[in-house]
Amino acid sequence: MDLLEYQAKELFREIGIPVLPSQRIDCPRDLKGLKIPYPVVLKSQVPIGGRGKAGGIKFVENTIDAIAAAQTIFHLPIMGKYPEVLLAEARYNAEREFYLAVALDYTLRRPVLLGSPQGGVDVEAVMQQMQQVVVEERFSPFYARKLALKMGLQGSLIESVSNIVVAMYKLFVEKDLDLVEINPLGVSPSGELMALDGKITANDSALERHPDLTALLPKLETNLPLNYHRNNGNKRTSNKENNWQSEGNIAIICNGMGLGMATLDLIQQVGGKPAKLMNLGEDITGKKAENLCDRLQEELQNITQENGIKVVVINILSGVPSCDKIASAIANFLSPNSVEVSNSSAINELFHKETTKELSNYPKLVVRLAGTGQEEAKERLKGLGVFVVDTFDEVVLQAVAFTKGTGKRS
């Protein structure tokens, strides 16, 4: 179960994590009694990423502008979800922004501390600088300090950020959570820290032990999180899968829900119609390389058996495994009965001729792999009918172009 931002921040406040003065807004007229001095920011409360890009976050300077903005946000669907409440929050002058999270790694079966010296909406920049510390034994502030040092923090920031990580871990354990995330954690010019946005994912199986979290369900009823499943016969994906599905013709495969949601949002913004999003898992949290590659081949097998999918976007930031290993997984899927695809262009050309008829039945694959082994990956995928691009924008634009019959040939 994913909490809304204002609900997550209520828990932050209780545990001692600094948050800004805020007020829940149930309808635009509530802003006439706003107790927070202007300027303020109004935020759509839906369990979806990319709210700012979708127009769900607006800065206002007075009551008249606030009411007009609230009316707009209340009537603005973000990926089909309308907010039932808004969050009005004081503005904050952040000089720097960090990313912090405590997550349960299902592969390691251990909590993992995550931190990046780059926070905010640029998911790619955040992930490229991500650091991790696996909590292998009983937790102590040592783990939090170790993360702060790996993030490259210095001076007083080491202690202040470590203290917030300790509070996050305490909340994580006390509430049986799967994820506690702060993105961004703002740092003012004076060095003050503030959780400017927050995400909490509760473990569905543990909700019975936490009536305070269960009490939030009525408010979430019409905005059930993407990964929430209930025992009422409705089919939902589980927390472990973190998948999303809708009507459309573009399937997205990513490693990380943040990267996946950013890809999905951009595809929608340029007129594409996402059909489903599959998260292979966060390789930054220590999942084994062979597991990620196996999951990739399995998801490709499932997608190619579905009707209506015209394009499959594979957008992966690799670390472990490297890009060439991921490319091999794609090549092996396209050629399940062959030996490992050779780097020889002659062999690739022969393979392409023999499999053109079979591959014509598959959706178009648009692939962007970022990380080590990129050039080897491109060579590995030559002649297989795969469109390989280098940038985030390209993978989105080409995917949408192919659904409209205007894409470039590989």
Side-chain angles (χ1 to χ4, degrees):
M1 181 182 80
D2 289 335
L3 302 192
L4 300 174
E5 178 191 356
Y6 83 93
Q7 296 167 330
K9 286 184 173 177
E10 287 175 4
L11 295 181
F12 286 175
R13 186 178 288 109
E14 293 174 5
I15 206 73
I17 296 173
V19 293
L20 291 166
S22 62
Q23 187 173 330
R24 191 176 108 178
I25 304 299
D26 292 287
C27 61
R29 65 174 175 271
D30 288 351
L31 288 160
K32 294 180 179 180
L34 188 64
K35 299 176 182 178
I36 307 169
Y38 288 96
V40 300
V41 55
L42 297 178
K43 299 182 179 182
S44 177
Q45 295 300 283
V46 290
I48 302 294
R51 293 174 298 167
K53 293 180 180 179
I57 297 178
K58 295 186 180 295
F59 295 94
V60 291
E61 302 286 340
N62 54 61
T63 303
I64 294 177
D65 290 345
I67 292 175
Q71 290 173 338
T72 299
I73 297 174
F74 270 117
H75 291 87
L76 176 70
I78 300 179
M79 287 179 56
K81 295 184 180 294
Y82 290 88
E84 291 194 357
V85 299
L86 307 184
L87 179 66
E89 191 171 68
R91 292 192 64 171
Y92 189 76
N93 179 27
E95 186 177 64
R96 299 176 65 184
E97 293 183 341
F98 301 145
Y99 173 96
L100 292 177
V102 180
L104 179 61
D105 188 303
Y106 279 95
T107 299
L108 297 175
R109 299 182 181 180
R110 303 298 303 170
V112 176
L113 310 181
L114 299 171
S116 174
Q118 171 73 48
V121 297
D122 189 343
V123 178
E124 185 174 353
V126 171
M127 293 189 68
Q128 284 180 341
Q129 301 184 57
M130 190 69 73
Q131 303 296 323
Q132 69 164 15
V133 174
V134 179
V135 182
E136 297 178 341
E137 300 177 355
R138 185 175 180 177
F139 182 79
S140 73
F142 163 78
Y143 286 105
R145 186 177 179 86
K146 183 178 180 181
L147 177 67
L149 291 171
K150 291 186 72 172
M151 290 169 60
L153 304 185
Q154 299 178 348
S156 61
L157 278 177
I158 295 175
E159 182 178 358
S160 55
V161 170
S162 297
N163 289 339
I164 289 183
V165 174
V166 169
M168 293 170 68
Y169 190 87
K170 182 179 179 182
L171 179 63
F172 175 83
V173 172
E174 287 184 355
K175 300 295 184 182
D176 290 316
L177 304 176
D178 279 352
L179 173 70
V180 180
E181 178 185 272
I182 298 177
N183 184 32
L185 176 70
V187 185
S188 72
S190 64
E192 177 191 33
L193 301 183
M194 194 67 63
L196 301 183
D197 197 356
K199 179 180 179 181
I200 287 179
T201 301
N203 190 307
D204 299 335
S205 301
L207 285 178
E208 292 183 359
R209 296 197 295 270
H210 302 282
D212 56 331
L213 298 181
T214 307
L216 301 176
L217 284 174
K219 179 56 68 177
L220 295 170
E221 185 69 26
T222 58
N223 271 329
L224 285 174
L226 300 179
N227 62 353
Y228 178 64
H229 59 88
R230 314 176 73 201
N231 297 321
N232 61 359
N234 292 335
K235 184 177 180 182
R236 294 271 177 179
T237 55
S238 71
N239 275 338
K240 296 180 183 180
E241 292 170 344
N242 281 329
N243 293 347
W244 174 90
Q245 191 162 344
S246 183
E247 295 182 359
N249 51 21
I250 300 175
I252 303 166
I253 300 178
C254 291
N255 63 326
M257 206 58 183
L259 178 62
M261 294 303 293
T263 307
L264 189 151
D265 289 343
L266 287 175
I267 287 175
Q268 286 189 316
Q269 287 181 27
V270 298
K273 297 178 179 179
K276 60 192 309 180
L277 164 61
M278 289 139 291
N279 175 19
L280 299 179
E282 307 276 359
D283 70 317
I284 56 173
T285 64
K287 293 184 182 296
K288 294 181 180 179
E290 61 267 28
N291 289 345
L292 190 144
C293 290
D294 289 345
R295 287 195 298 274
L296 173 57
Q297 292 189 66
E298 181 180 350
E299 292 294 358
L300 285 171
Q301 184 63 42
N302 292 335
I303 291 171
T304 53
Q305 293 176 356
E306 295 185 17
N307 295 323
I309 302 295
K310 293 184 178 180
V311 177
V312 179
V313 170
I314 301 174
N315 189 11
I316 294 179
L317 292 176
S318 73
V320 179
S322 59
C323 292
D324 57 322
K325 294 292 184 183
I326 297 170
S328 292
I330 298 172
N332 291 338
F333 162 74
L334 296 173
S335 175
N337 299 319
S338 72
V339 217
E340 182 177 0
V341 179
S342 170
N343 287 331
S344 164
S345 57
I347 295 178
N348 277 334
E349 183 179 355
L350 176 61
F351 168 76
H352 177 59
K353 291 179 180 179
E354 293 177 344
T355 57
T356 299
K357 184 177 180 180
E358 181 182 356
L359 294 180
S360 65
N361 298 322
Y362 287 164
K364 187 69 178 177
L365 298 187
V366 183
V367 178
R368 180 234 177 190
L369 304 176
T372 58
Q374 284 179 286
E375 294 306 316
E376 295 88 341
K378 290 179 183 178
E379 193 68 28
R380 189 66 55 89
L381 294 173
K382 274 186 179 179
L384 300 183
V386 179
F387 196 92
V388 183
V389 299
D390 293 322
T391 68
F392 207 144
D393 289 340
E394 282 182 293
V395 76
V396 169
L397 294 173
Q398 286 303 321
V400 175
F402 279 126
T403 64
K404 299 177 179 180
T406 58
K408 298 177 182 178
R409 299 184 62 183
S410 58

